[in-house]
C-alpha cells in the first residue's frame, strides 16, 4: 500500500475544513480532508474504489478506496433536509467505480437556495489509519485535479528500506498566513533536530536540510503551499509524521506582519518635499534627522589555520549568543520572538557546515562566516516573496554581529537623542534593539514593511517608513523631518505651516490616546471592590514617564541591568544614584521597587570576569553574583539608599534560593545603611523565581517585607526549560499548572504573614491570566507600561469569587494548553 492521491470530485475553490461552518466538519469529528465551494454540478469519483453507500437523500456518497481509505463526499451543509431535491444519483451501493466516474448530479440553484451552504467537505473518515494532507488550499481547483494525499500510517511504520535506512515521505500544506518564514522555520528545524533520521523539505524543485532554519526559509514556502517532507533513517516514519503534525497544527499562528497597508508607489524622490516610501509602522513623528551608518566590516580573507579560525568563530558566536539570549528573555514579545529566531540562525547547521568547509580550505573565520551567510542571503533574495526576501536583513544582522565580535569592534551601543528621527540606509532588528535612547521615528532607504525591524518598530510604537530609496542619503544630519508611518512619507525640511499642521495632527492623536488612557489612570478594583495594585516594569530611566501616563501606581520592578550591560566596566555609585533618582523623580509620589543586579546566566557582563560555566542559568547569577562581589553590591546598595525622598524606594532581591542568601543580603543592606547614617528602614523584598523559593515562601515571608514572583524564571526552573532556547520555546508557558501551584503556594505563605505578593514576570502582562493570578491570591501585578490600561480594564470586569473558581480549575488542568483553553472559554 502506498500514498493515494484523491482528485477533486467537483470544480471550485478549495478551503480548509476549518472554514466549514459546522463543528462536525471543522472539528474533524467525521474525519480529515478539505472542502470545495463548488462551481460544477457533477460529482466525480476521486479515485478507483467501491461505493459503500449513497445517502437516501442523495447528498452524500461514501467510497472505499483500494487501500482501505473510506472517503465521504458531503455536498453542501444541512442538505439532508432537502430530502433528495436537487440531487440525481448515478451509482448504486456496492458498485465498483473508476476514478472520475460520475457519481451524482447536483442542481446548484435548488441546493444553494434550500440549504445552509454549498460548501462540500471531502473527507477520509477512517483518518486514524491514514495521514491525510491537502497539498494546497485557498485556490481554484478543477474536478479531477489532485486534492488530497492519503498515506496509510502503517506504510509509514513499515517503510521499505532504501539506501541508508527506511524512507518516509509526506506532503503537507502550510496553514500559516505568512508561510514558513523565520520563526516557523526555527521551530520546524528545532523539531527536526529532535529526530535521528535525516530530514529534508522539498518545494519548488529544491530540496533542503530540514534541520537548518535558514535553509527552510530559502524555500520560500507560502500560505497554503504544499511542502514535501522526506525522512530517511531508523525513525523515518515517526520523524516525518511529527514534522507534518507540527507544520499542520503545531506552529503558533502569526501576528500580522504588515502593520499597515503598503503604500502604492515606493521610492519617489523630491528632497525639497516629501519622500515617498512604504509605510512600515503607524504613527506620526516630528524631529531632527539622526543618521546611523553601518560601515562595512573589514575581515582578512586568509586564515591562520583551520583550528585557530574555528576557535575564533566559535568564541565570537558564543559572545553573540549570550547577547541575543538576553534579548530573547526580556523586552517586548516581538523582540523576544525575533531574538529567538536569530538564536536559531546563529546555530544553523548549514551555515556552520559551509563556514567550516571554507575555513578548512584556508579562509579566515570572518571571511568564512560572511561567505556562508551571503550565499543564503542570495537564496532568500531569489525567492519571489517579499516576506522571505526581507528575512535576508536578519541574516545580515547576524553576520554583522558575529563579525563585530570577531574583530573586537563592537564599541559602545549607539546613543540616539530621544525623539530624533533615525535615518539609515538599512537596519537590522539587532541594531534597533541595541540603541540607547528611543528614536521618535524611523526612515530607511531600503527594507520592507514585513521586515523584522519594521515589526519591532511597530511593537515599540515607533512610526516608520521604509524603502525610501537612495535619495534619503541626501538628507542632512539634523534636518527637520516629519515621518508619516501611515501615508508612507517623510517630509524633509518642512516649513512652519507644515510643522504646525503636523503638530496639530499629533496633538489630536495624543488627545485621543489620552482619553483612552484616562480610565487607565484610575486605581484598579475588581467589580466587587477588591483593590489590586497595578505597577509597571521598567528597564530604563526613559520608560518611567510612559509608565505614569499608562496609569502605573508605581514601579514594581526596575531591572537595573540596563546600567550594567554592554559596557566595559560597572557603573559607579554616582552614575547609578543619578539613574535611580531620575526614575524616582519621574514617578512623582509613586513607589519605586529597585531590583538589585541580575546579571549572569542569560545576561552577560563580561567585565565582571565571571568564570565560564557549563550551565550558566544554574550558576553564578542574580543575587549570587552580588554576594560573590561585595564591593559591587555595596556600590549599588549605597546608590539605592541615597534616593530621596526616604521611604519611596524598596529593594528587591533576584534569584533567591535560600534563607541564607536573604540574610546575607539584608546584612549587607544594614551595613551600608548604617555607614550612610540613614535612620529610616528600607523595605526588602524577595523575588520568587526558583521552585526552592516558592517552597520556602513561608520562611522567606517571615524575614522579607514583600514577595514578587518572577514567572519568567520560575517557569524556566520549574519546567527545566531554558527560557532562551528556541528548541523548547513552545513549552515555556507560565500557565503550566506546576507553575500555578508554586504561585498558589507563595500567595498562601505571603498572605499568612500579611505580606504583599506581587507577580512581575511576563504572566502579569496577560490580561486573561490576571483572573487566575488574582484567584490564586496575588494582589499586585507589575507589567510593561503599555500593557497596563488593558490589564486594569480586565480587572474591573472580574469578581474575586469568579477568579477563585477559575484558579481552582486551572491548577487541576492537565497542562498549559488546557489552562489556555479554559481562559478562552471564560
Ligand atoms: C522573571 O524572571 O519573571 C523576572 C521578572 O525577571 P527577569 O525577566 O528580568 O529575569
Ligand atoms: Mg528573572
Amino acid at each position: 500500500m502506498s500514498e493515494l492521491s484523491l482528485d477533486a470530485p467537483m470544480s471550485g475553490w478549495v478551503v480548509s475544513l476549518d472554514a466549514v461552518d459546522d463543528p462536525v466538519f471543522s472539528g474533524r469529528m467525521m474525519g480529515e480532508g478539505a472542502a470545495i465551494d463548488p462551481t460544477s454540478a457533477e460529482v466525480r469519483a476521486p479515485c478507483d474504489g467501491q461505493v459503500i453507500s449513497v445517502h437516501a437523500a442523495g447528498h452524500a456518497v461514501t467510497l472505499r478506496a483500494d487501500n482501505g481509505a473510506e472517503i465521504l463526499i458531503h455536498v453542501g451543509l444541512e442538505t439532508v433536509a432537502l430530502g433528495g431535491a436537487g440531487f440525481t444519483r448515478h451509482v448504486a451501493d456496492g458498485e465498483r467505480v473508476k476514478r472520475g466516474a460520475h457519481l451524482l448530479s447536483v442542481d446548484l440553484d435548488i441546493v444553494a437556495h434550500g440549504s445552509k451552504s454549498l460548501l462540500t467537505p471531502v473527507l477520509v473518515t477512517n483518518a486514524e489509519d491514514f495521514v491525510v494532507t491537502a497539498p494546497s488550499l485557498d485556490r481554484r481547483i478543477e474536478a479531477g485535479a489532485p486534492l488530497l494525499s492519503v498515506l496509510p500510517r502503517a506504510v509509514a511504520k513499515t517503510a521499505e528500506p532504501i539506501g541508508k535506512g527506511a524512507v518516509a515521505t509526506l506532503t503537507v500544506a502550510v496553514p500559516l498566513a505568512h508561510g514558513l518564514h523565520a520563526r516557523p522555520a526555527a521551530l520546524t528545524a528545532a523539531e527536526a533536530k529532535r529526530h535521528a533520521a535525516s530530514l529534508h523539505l522539498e518545494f519548488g524543485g529544491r530540496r533542503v536540510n530540514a534541520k537548518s532554519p535558514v535553509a527552510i526559509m530559502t524555500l520560500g514556502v507560502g500560505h497554503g503551499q504544499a511542502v514535501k517532507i522526506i525522512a530517511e533513517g531508523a525513525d523515518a516514519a515517526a520523524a516525518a509524521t511529527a514534522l507534518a503534525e507540527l507544520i499542520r497544527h503545531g506552529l503558533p499562528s502569526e501576528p500580522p506582519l504588515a502593520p499597515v497597508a503598503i503604500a502604492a508607489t515606493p521610492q519617489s524622490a523630491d528632497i525639497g518635499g516629501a519622500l515617498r516610501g512604504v509605510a512600515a509602522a503607524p504613527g506620526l513623528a516630528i524631529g531632527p534627522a539622526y543618521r546611523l551608518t553601518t560601515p562595512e566590516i573589514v575581515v582578512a580573507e586568509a586564515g591562520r589555520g583551520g583550528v585557530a579560525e574555528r576557535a575564533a568563530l566559535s568564541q565570537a558566536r558564543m559572545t553573540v549568543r549570550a547577547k541575543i539570549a538576553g534579548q530573547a528573555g526580556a523586552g517586548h514579545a516581538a523582540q523576544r520572538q525575533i531574538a529567538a529566531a536569530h538564536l536559531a540562525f546563529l546555530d544553523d547547521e548549514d551555515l556552520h557546515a559551509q563556514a567550516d568547509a571554507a575555513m578548512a580550505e584556508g579562509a579566515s573565520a570572518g571571511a568564512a562566516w560572511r561567505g556562508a551567510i551571503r550565499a543564503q542571503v542570495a537564496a532568500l533574495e531569489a525567492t519571489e516573496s517579499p516576506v522571505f526576501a526581507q528575512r535576508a536583513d536578519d541574516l545580515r544582522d547576524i553576520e554583522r554581529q558575529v563579525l563585530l565580535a570577531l574583530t573586537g569592534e563592537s564599541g559602545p551601543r549607539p546613543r540616539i537623542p530621544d525623539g530624533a528621527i533615525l535615518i539609515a540606509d538599512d537596519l537590522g532588528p539587532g541594531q534597533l534593539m541595541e540603541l540607547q535612547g528611543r528614536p521618535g521615528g524611523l526612515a530607511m532607504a531600503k527594507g520592507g514593511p514585513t521586515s523584522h525591524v519594521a515589526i519591532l518598530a511597530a511593537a515599540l510604537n515607533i512610526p516608520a517608513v521604509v524603502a525610501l530609496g537612495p535619495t534619503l542619503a541626501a538628507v542632512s544630519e539634523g534636518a527637520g523631518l516629519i515621518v508619516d508611518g501611515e501615508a508612507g512619507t517623510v517630509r524633509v525640511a518642512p516649513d512652519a505651516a507644515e510643522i504646525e499642521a503636523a503638530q496639530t495632527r499629533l496633538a489630536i492623536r495624543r488627545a485621543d490616546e489620552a482619553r483612552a488612557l484616562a480610565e487607565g489612570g484610575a486605581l484598579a478594583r475588581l467589580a466587587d471592590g477588591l483593590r489590586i495594585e497595578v505597577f509597571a516594569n521598567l528597564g530604563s530611566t526613559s520608560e518611567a514617564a510612559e509608565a505614569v501616563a499608562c496609569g502605573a501606581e508605581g514601579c514594581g520592578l526596575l531591572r537595573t541591568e540596563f546600567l550594567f550591560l554592554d559596557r566595559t566596566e560597572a557603573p559607579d555609585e554616582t552614575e547609578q544614584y543619578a539613574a535611580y533618582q531620575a526614575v524616582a523623580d519621574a514617578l512623582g509620589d509613586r513607589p519605586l521597587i529597585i531590583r538589585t543586579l541580575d546579571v549572569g546566566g542569560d545576561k552577560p557582563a563580561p567585565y565582571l570576569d565571571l568564570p565560564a560555566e557549563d550551565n550558566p542559568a544554574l550558576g553564578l547569577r542574580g543575587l549570587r553574583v552580588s554576594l560573590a562581589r561585595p564591593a559591587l553590591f555595596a556600590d549599588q546598595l549605597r546608590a539605592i539608599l541615597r534616593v530621596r525622598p526616604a521611604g519611596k524606594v524598596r529593594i528587591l532581591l533576584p534569584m533567591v534560593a535560600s534563607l541564607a542568601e536573604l540574610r546575607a543580603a539584608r546584612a549587607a543592606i544594614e551595613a551600608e545603611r548604617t555607614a550612610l547614617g540613614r535612620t529610616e528602614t528600607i523595605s526588602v523584598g524577595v523575588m520568587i523565581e526558583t521552585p526552592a523559593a516558592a517552597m520556602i515562601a513561608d520562611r522567606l515571608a517571615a524575614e522579607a517585607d514583600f514577595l514578587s514572583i518572577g514567572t519568567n524564571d520560575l517557569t524556566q526552573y520549574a519546567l527545566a526549560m531554558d527560557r532562551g532556547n528556541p528548541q523548547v520555546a513552545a513549552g515555556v508557558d507560565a500557565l503550566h499548572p506546576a507553575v500555578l501551584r508554586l504561585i498558589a503556594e507563595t500567595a498562601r505563605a505571603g498572605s499568612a504573614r500579611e505580606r504583599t505578593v506581587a507577580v512581575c514576570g511576563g504572566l502579569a502582562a496577560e490580561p486573561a491570566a490576571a483572573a487566575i493570578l488574582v484567584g490564586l491570591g496575588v494582589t499586585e501585578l507589575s507589567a510593561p507600561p503599555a500593557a497596563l490600561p488593558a490589564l486594569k480594564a480586565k480587572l474591573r470586569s472580574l469578581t474575586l469569587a469568579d477568579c477563585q473558581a477559575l484558579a481552582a480549575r486551572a491548577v487541576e488542568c492537565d497542562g498549559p494548553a488546557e489552562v489556555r483553553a479554559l481562559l478562552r472559554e471564560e
Side-chain angles (χ1 to χ4, degrees):
M1 287 195 297
S2 59
E3 191 166 348
L4 168 73
S5 173
L6 295 186
D7 293 343
M10 306 173 90
S11 300
W13 189 260
V14 191
V15 293
S16 155
L17 287 181
D18 298 331
V20 180
D21 185 16
D22 184 335
V24 168
F25 296 112
S26 58
R28 299 342 190 240
M29 293 175 207
M30 296 291 286
E32 187 56 282
I36 297 177
D37 198 359
T39 52
S40 65
E42 290 174 349
V43 180
R44 303 268 169 187
C47 60
D48 294 351
Q50 187 174 26
V51 177
I52 302 176
S53 76
V54 181
H55 193 280
H59 68 293
V61 187
T62 313
L63 298 181
R64 182 178 297 113
D66 294 339
N67 71 352
E70 291 179 3
I71 301 135
L72 167 70
I73 304 163
H74 190 285
V75 183
L77 302 180
E78 297 178 12
T79 35
V80 66
L82 290 169
F87 294 101
T88 312
R89 52 197 290 173
H90 300 292
V91 286
D93 292 1
E95 196 176 317
R96 255 205 84 74
V97 291
K98 295 295 258 181
R99 189 182 284 269
H102 198 177
L103 304 177
L104 298 174
S105 293
V106 186
D107 185 321
L108 294 179
D109 276 349
I110 293 178
V111 177
H113 284 108
S115 69
K116 182 172 169 183
S117 159
L118 272 175
L119 210 54
T120 298
V122 181
L123 312 167
V124 174
T125 53
N126 49 349
E128 62 287 357
D129 298 330
F130 296 87
V131 179
V132 183
T133 50
S136 175
L137 296 170
D138 297 322
R139 63 179 171 124
R140 206 188 134 71
I141 196 164
E142 297 305 325
L147 173 70
L148 298 172
S149 117
V150 181
L151 182 74
R153 290 187 195 271
V155 168
K157 286 188 194 114
T158 59
E160 292 292 308
I162 302 172
K164 284 182 271 162
V167 174
T169 64
L170 283 174
T171 302
V172 58
V174 173
L176 300 178
H178 306 288
L180 284 183
H181 68 92
R183 274 216 3 110
L187 293 169
T188 303
E191 173 62 36
K193 284 188 200 162
R194 293 181 50 237
H195 300 275
S198 84
L199 276 157
H200 288 85
L201 296 185
E202 200 174 272
F203 178 75
R206 290 184 57 231
R207 182 181 284 203
V208 300
N209 179 4
K211 296 181 183 178
S212 158
V214 172
I216 295 175
M217 271 200 314
T218 64
L219 286 177
V221 187
H223 170 69
Q225 291 184 309
V227 63
K228 187 167 183 179
I229 302 165
I230 304 129
E232 185 167 356
D235 62 341
T241 307
L243 213 56
E245 279 301 304
L246 176 81
I247 293 173
R248 291 172 71 218
H249 302 299
L251 295 172
S253 57
E254 300 286 347
L257 286 179
V260 286
I262 296 175
T265 9
Q267 300 195 16
S268 93
D270 172 10
I271 197 68
L275 301 181
R276 177 163 291 282
V278 173
L284 189 68
I286 310 166
Y290 174 89
R291 184 176 297 282
L292 188 72
T293 46
T294 313
E296 177 85 354
I297 302 161
V298 181
V299 292
E301 283 303 318
R304 301 151 296 162
V307 175
E309 296 299 331
R310 263 198 294 277
L313 183 57
S314 153
Q315 180 62 40
R317 279 183 32 239
M318 243 166 70
T319 307
V320 176
R321 188 180 303 113
K323 186 165 130 200
I324 303 178
Q327 294 163 346
H332 195 279
Q335 171 175 331
R336 290 201 301 272
Q337 289 174 5
I338 292 167
H342 281 199
L343 276 180
F345 299 162
L346 188 67
D347 289 330
D348 187 275
E349 286 192 355
D350 280 12
L351 283 179
H352 284 247
Q354 283 172 36
D356 267 359
M359 287 184 288
E361 285 179 9
S364 72
W369 183 248
R370 175 173 276 165
I373 294 256
R374 299 265 164 118
Q376 301 294 352
V377 164
L380 276 175
E381 287 176 341
T383 61
E384 281 175 8
S385 148
V387 172
F388 289 94
Q390 284 163 35
R391 293 298 165 269
D393 292 345
D394 297 85
L395 287 185
R396 286 194 206 94
D397 211 356
I398 297 289
E399 173 192 320
R400 186 187 60 86
Q401 296 194 46
V402 170
L403 294 189
L404 283 176
L406 263 173
T407 54
E409 286 173 25
S410 311
R413 293 156 63 200
R415 183 181 289 279
I416 179 165
D418 275 352
I421 309 292
L422 182 65
I423 57 175
D425 184 45
D426 206 358
L427 200 69
Q431 286 174 288
L432 189 56
M433 289 188 229
E434 264 167 37
L435 284 178
Q436 297 193 65
R438 185 191 151 80
L442 173 63
M444 277 164 56
K446 297 184 181 156
T450 55
S451 63
H452 272 154
V453 74
I455 293 169
L456 199 58
L460 299 173
N461 278 332
I462 300 173
V465 179
V466 298
L468 284 154
T471 329
L472 190 66
V475 174
S476 45
E477 184 84 21
L481 299 179
I482 300 172
V483 173
D484 188 330
E486 278 132 50
T489 58
V490 175
R491 189 88 197 156
V492 182
D495 61 26
E498 286 168 327
I499 295 180
E500 201 185 320
Q503 279 169 339
T504 308
R505 271 176 70 199
L506 204 54
I508 292 173
R509 220 174 242 271
R510 290 193 177 140
D512 286 349
E513 282 163 10
R515 214 169 303 121
L517 282 174
E519 254 216 332
L523 296 182
R525 283 185 194 284
L526 301 188
D528 53 8
L530 181 75
R531 269 279 286 129
I532 302 292
E533 290 178 303
V534 177
F535 280 47
N537 291 349
L538 303 180
S540 68
T541 39
S542 57
E543 286 169 356
E546 187 194 348
V548 172
C550 290
E553 294 175 45
C555 167
L557 168 68
L558 177 66
R559 289 184 164 101
T560 57
E561 299 78 72
F562 76 91
L563 282 171
F564 288 79
L565 300 178
D566 288 315
R567 51 193 293 163
T568 49
E569 54 187 26
D572 62 14
E573 180 190 324
T574 312
E575 183 183 343
Q576 291 188 56
Y577 162 66
Y580 305 151
Q581 187 65 57
V583 177
D585 292 345
L587 287 174
D589 55 6
R590 297 168 187 80
L592 165 60
I593 298 177
I594 301 182
R595 180 173 75 181
T596 60
L597 185 58
D598 185 21
V599 289
D602 61 353
K603 301 166 184 164
Y607 54 87
L608 288 183
D609 235 3
L610 300 172
E613 297 174 324
D614 285 344
N615 292 304
L618 305 181
L620 210 51
R621 66 161 290 195
L623 183 60
R624 296 170 196 174
V625 174
S626 296
L627 295 178
R629 301 289 156 92
L632 182 82
F633 196 30
D635 276 354
Q636 183 169 40
L637 293 175
R638 277 196 304 276
I640 296 173
L641 287 161
R642 284 170 56 193
V643 176
R644 301 285 88 188
K648 178 187 183 72
V649 170
R650 304 170 198 165
I651 293 178
L652 182 58
L653 304 169
M655 283 294 298
V656 171
S658 71
L659 278 165
E661 288 166 334
L662 169 59
R663 288 172 189 160
R666 266 205 179 279
I669 295 165
E670 274 312 294
E672 294 312 321
R673 197 171 70 89
T674 314
L676 280 173
R678 297 280 186 237
T679 47
E680 69 278 357
T681 55
I682 188 160
S683 174
V684 178
V686 164
M687 283 200 79
I688 305 295
E689 297 182 285
T690 61
M695 297 313 292
I696 57 165
D698 56 337
R699 305 291 305 279
L700 291 169
E703 299 186 29
D705 299 304
F706 63 99
L707 305 178
S708 186
I709 304 171
T711 48
N712 308 335
D713 276 313
L714 187 59
T715 307
Q716 129 162 301
Y717 294 119
L719 305 183
M721 285 181 176
D722 181 349
R723 64 194 260 193
N725 181 343
Q727 315 230 39
V728 293
V732 187
D733 190 335
L735 284 177
H736 192 300
V739 181
L740 297 181
R741 288 173 185 217
L742 290 167
I743 295 172
E745 193 56 41
T746 305
R748 229 185 333 266
S751 135
R753 288 271 173 189
E754 296 184 347
R755 302 286 189 252
T756 298
V757 176
V759 171
C760 66
L763 194 59
E766 289 188 40
I772 295 182
L773 294 177
V774 169
L776 292 174
V778 169
T779 56
E780 180 188 307
L781 299 171
S782 191
L788 303 188
L791 201 52
K792 285 188 170 181
K794 177 74 188 180
L795 290 168
R796 289 192 188 104
S797 72
L798 304 167
T799 65
L800 182 60
D802 290 346
C803 294
Q804 285 171 336
L806 186 67
R809 288 174 69 192
V811 294
E812 293 304 329
C813 281
D814 288 352
E818 203 183 312
V819 179
R820 290 201 176 272
L822 190 64
L823 289 180
R824 276 195 298 276
E825 212 178 279
E826 291 296 311

